[in-house]
Amino acid sequence: MLQRIIGYVLFIPFIVFYSYVLGPVLKAVLVPGGLALLFLILGPDRFTYHWREARAGQPKIEVREG
């Protein structure tokens, strides 16, 4: 019983910290860093070509009122 209580006391704050603090910080650092690394590997011309090709396949979302 005591182990379960200690486990919850340690586990729940870690999950909250990861979900609301560490997760967004990692996304804000790793996504632009990964894109910058691809830019360095591919070069500016091929990177922009692949970026436009990836964006061209995205569906357009139409916003309707009412």
Side-chain angles (χ1 to χ4, degrees), residues 6-64:
I6 291 172
Y8 286 142
V9 167
L10 294 176
F11 179 74
I12 291 174
F14 174 75
I15 292 297
V16 170
F17 174 74
Y18 181 79
S19 296
Y20 295 107
V21 177
L22 191 60
V25 168
L26 285 175
K27 289 175 193 169
V29 171
L30 293 177
V31 171
L35 290 173
L37 187 62
L38 282 176
F39 183 83
L40 289 174
I41 291 171
L42 294 175
D45 295 333
R46 292 197 42 95
F47 177 80
T48 53
Y49 169 76
H50 287 291
W51 179 263
R52 288 187 183 131
E53 286 295 314
R55 297 287 297 165
Q58 298 292 323
K60 302 217 186 286
I61 298 174
E62 187 176 317
V63 178
R64 297 181 185 172

